[in-house]
Amino acid sequence: MTGPKPPVLTVRQLRKTFQGNAVLRGVDLSLHEGEIACLIGPSGTGKSTILRCLNFLEQPDGGEITFFGQYLCAEDGNSNIFRIAPPRVLQAARARMPMVFQHFNLFSHRTVMENVVEGQVVVLRRGRAEARDRARDCLARVGMLERADFYPDQLSGGQKQRVAIARALAMSPALILFDEPTSALDPQLVQEVQGVIRDLSAEGMTMLIVTHEMRFVRSIAHTVHFCEGGRIAESGAAADIFGPNAPPRIQTFMEVAHG
Amino acid sequence: MYNFFFYAVPEHFPFLLQGALVTVELSLISMLLGTLLGFFLAVGRLSARRALRWPLDAFVEVVRDTPLIVQLLLIYFSLPEAGIVLSAFWAGIAGLTLNLAAYLSEVFRAAIVAVDKGQREAAISLGMSPVAVYCRVIIPQAALASLPTLGGYFIALLKDCSLVSFISVNELLRHATIVISDTFDSMDTYIMVAIIYFMMSFISARIIRYVEVWLTPSNRRATLSVPLTMDKEGAR
């Protein structure tokens, strides 16, 4: 069994409709180990919905998602039957691809340390001591170890997001989903969170990032997917997407997005 | 005045306090049972199952739309006809518990619904099962949020207990009635009763406030082993 590794995640013809409004009209995507892919595009084109369908925070209406070769949802081409994997399978998959949210969503009744320990103990069934060791390690990586005993409402937005990243890291994830991780932050706090994500990229973490920060995308992404009209309209290596020969609609978008 | 301090108080205060003790017992037991029942009512009423939701909704509606005193009279005097005989004390507990549970189920339901949906999503996205999401994240936060209201209901309950004197439970107000029928000294007696109620409510309110502060995360200030001004250095 040699040859190129199969992708961590494959998405085929993913579809999602909200009250008759087709938000995803057939998304195709694949992600390999160590790859950093960014989803960009105008607002309302379903970038966040793609992420939320990947971990089934939203139930897709059709299409296929495979995660490490395991079907999370699939449809039979002939009979048109769409099936979603049982909850147990979805829960296991979510634990391996945790999400970092735009609004952090730290557990407000728990300290920083407890936030990072929680998933390990409840989901991965790690012992408390082991979980705390791992949490300490993860908090150190995002520079938040000194705040271990603080409550979320005692932290700045950037600090909260760094803790949220540590919480995801603690799950020993195969992939981290980032849903506009810096959109809710003051400009001066954006850097500290981007810095942490950059550190993870240096360590080879696989990441799928929805963001509007084009400069950040340019500096970190291996692959860029441009979403438009509920589909991935263009995909390419970051160098191509940002190069002089980029497809025209991306150039137009960049001009609007960044000037 | 002379009569109050040198006759009424030494003569009857201890007897009234005995009644007050029963009032406290009634309150504590009903509070405990009512909170538990109210919690399960709230969870049941949030269930997707109509067969579960509707009867519970109906129960809460009926309890809230009839006076407590009528409920107590029904439980004590009418249930025996259906073969359910409760002592006055436990009939009182039953009435107070059902009543409190109905009201608290609304409080808990609102608190559960009000938990930020991002909290639920964060828990789900870590791979938690629905039960874990509820037990580890939603319920603790809802419980914290409903604590102040809970305290208010407890103090109301303490005073509602006076109603069970109507079904002959020997609590504070009934002891007062006994004293008055003995001495015809209604003013002094009722003043003592009011003082005792006030003290009980006042002390409960302090205790509840203390518990509330103690349980609120942001009040459990972390021991600042590192001063807050380290932010710059912590950032990259």
Side-chain angles (χ1 to χ4, degrees):
Chain A
M1 291 282 283
T2 49
K5 277 192 170 178
V8 172
L9 182 77
T10 330
V11 179
R12 283 223 313 262
Q13 284 303 302
L14 189 68
R15 293 185 303 283
K16 173 70 185 172
T17 304
F18 288 110
Q19 280 126 32
N21 178 22
V23 179
L24 303 182
R25 298 161 182 270
V27 170
D28 295 295
L29 188 75
S30 69
L31 197 67
H32 291 81
E33 199 182 315
E35 182 177 348
I36 298 166
C38 288
L39 289 168
I40 62 169
S43 296
T45 49
K47 303 183 296 293
S48 290
T49 308
I50 295 176
L51 286 202
R52 294 170 61 83
C53 282
L54 291 182
N55 68 1
F56 291 81
L57 280 180
E58 306 284 357
Q59 296 240 323
D61 299 325
E64 190 181 291
I65 301 173
T66 40
F67 185 54
F68 285 103
Q70 181 168 37
Y71 285 103
L72 301 187
C73 66
E75 60 191 348
D76 189 329
N78 302 319
S79 54
N80 258 335
I81 294 173
F82 177 64
R83 265 197 298 260
I84 293 177
R88 206 162 274 279
V89 173
L90 296 185
Q91 284 158 21
R94 287 185 188 120
R96 297 185 70 191
M97 56 168 153
M99 188 163 195
V100 173
F101 296 86
Q102 180 177 359
H103 296 288
F104 330 123
N105 299 350
L106 292 181
F107 302 129
S108 57
H109 61 306
R110 302 217 179 271
T111 64
V112 164
M113 174 58 84
E114 289 162 352
N115 260 279
V116 182
V117 164
E118 188 74 4
Q120 300 184 66
V121 171
V122 176
V123 179
L124 303 180
R125 309 260 168 224
R126 284 183 187 147
R128 246 172 215 279
E130 183 194 355
R132 287 181 75 86
D133 282 347
R134 168 109 192 134
R136 246 178 244 115
D137 179 47
C138 294
L139 285 170
R141 280 162 76 181
V142 301
M144 287 298 294
L145 189 54
E146 297 88 347
R147 295 286 179 276
D149 298 325
F150 283 52
Y151 282 91
D153 63 359
Q154 297 168 310
L155 303 177
S156 74
Q159 292 176 328
K160 283 184 206 172
Q161 197 60 301
R162 280 147 64 197
V163 173
I165 293 172
R167 179 171 68 177
L169 271 180
M171 303 300 284
S172 315
L175 158 67
I176 302 182
L177 307 171
F178 288 88
D179 187 8
E180 303 200 26
T182 58
S183 296
L185 297 177
D186 295 340
Q188 66 267 32
L189 301 179
V190 169
Q191 291 301 325
E192 69 178 66
V193 171
Q194 288 183 350
V196 168
I197 300 175
R198 224 179 286 274
D199 291 347
L200 294 184
S201 82
E203 294 163 24
M205 178 60 70
T206 314
M207 297 186 268
L208 184 55
I209 308 173
V210 170
T211 180
H212 291 284
E213 303 275 342
M214 288 310 139
R215 219 167 296 163
F216 178 60
V217 174
R218 190 196 295 243
S219 67
I220 196 174
H222 301 136
T223 326
V224 177
H225 302 284
F226 177 74
C227 300
E228 201 173 48
R231 288 193 180 83
I232 293 191
E234 305 279 354
S235 289
D240 298 334
I241 295 283
F242 288 96
N245 298 322
R249 56 179 156 188
I250 292 186
Q251 288 184 358
T252 317
F253 169 71
M254 296 291 178
E255 279 159 23
V256 179
H258 221 244
Chain B
M1 227 20 179
Y2 180 88
N3 185 57
F4 182 74
F5 283 112
F6 293 98
Y7 176 69
V9 169
E11 194 71 8
H12 299 300
F13 202 71
F15 183 63
L16 291 177
L17 277 184
Q18 275 175 28
L21 197 66
V22 175
T23 296
V24 171
E25 272 174 39
L26 280 168
S27 307
L28 287 177
I29 297 174
S30 320
M31 187 68 192
L32 187 70
L33 296 178
T35 306
L36 285 173
L37 184 61
F39 170 74
F40 288 113
L41 275 176
V43 173
R45 292 177 69 202
L46 285 166
S47 151
R49 277 177 239 269
R50 258 185 221 170
L52 185 60
R53 216 168 59 214
W54 282 5
L56 297 182
D57 281 348
F59 168 78
V60 170
E61 204 61 42
V62 168
V63 170
R64 295 208 307 165
D65 295 351
T66 51
L68 173 57
I69 183 67
V70 174
Q71 294 162 13
L72 287 169
L73 293 173
L74 271 173
I75 292 171
Y76 188 56
F77 291 112
S78 304
L79 276 190
E81 288 179 27
I84 305 170
V85 184
L86 294 172
S87 70
F89 183 80
W90 286 101
I93 295 272
L96 291 168
T97 298
L98 293 181
N99 206 266
L100 183 70
Y103 280 94
L104 287 186
S105 82
E106 283 291 277
V107 174
F108 291 145
R109 197 170 67 130
I112 289 172
V113 170
V115 172
D116 179 41
K117 85 178 192 339
Q119 298 284 318
R120 180 191 302 265
E121 291 188 348
I124 291 173
S125 75
L126 287 175
M128 287 191 201
S129 66
V131 172
V133 172
Y134 238 67
C135 295
R136 306 288 308 185
V137 178
I138 309 277
I139 300 293
Q141 294 195 19
L144 273 179
S146 44
L147 212 57
T149 323
L150 211 62
Y153 275 97
F154 189 30
I155 292 167
L157 175 73
L158 197 66
K159 292 174 291 179
D160 280 350
C161 281
S162 56
L163 285 177
V164 302
S165 62
F166 280 86
I167 57 169
S168 74
V169 179
N170 285 313
E171 45 70 76
L172 176 52
L173 191 63
R174 191 169 160 83
H175 273 207
T177 313
I178 293 168
V179 169
I180 292 167
S181 64
D182 214 26
T183 63
F184 301 105
D185 186 3
S186 60
M187 184 168 142
D188 285 346
T189 311
Y190 283 136
I191 287 175
M192 284 190 282
V193 167
I195 289 172
I196 295 175
Y197 269 120
F198 177 81
M199 289 192 316
M200 290 196 299
S201 300
F202 188 80
I203 293 169
S204 321
R206 295 299 110 170
I207 294 173
I208 290 160
R209 181 78 198 123
Y210 179 78
V211 171
E212 216 173 282
V213 169
W214 178 65
L215 282 178
T216 305
S218 50
N219 286 325
R220 276 185 285 163
R221 286 284 154 189
T223 38
L224 302 185
S225 48
V226 182
L228 276 163
T229 45
M230 282 227 357
D231 286 10
K232 288 273 157 42
E233 206 241 332
R236 313 279 173 108

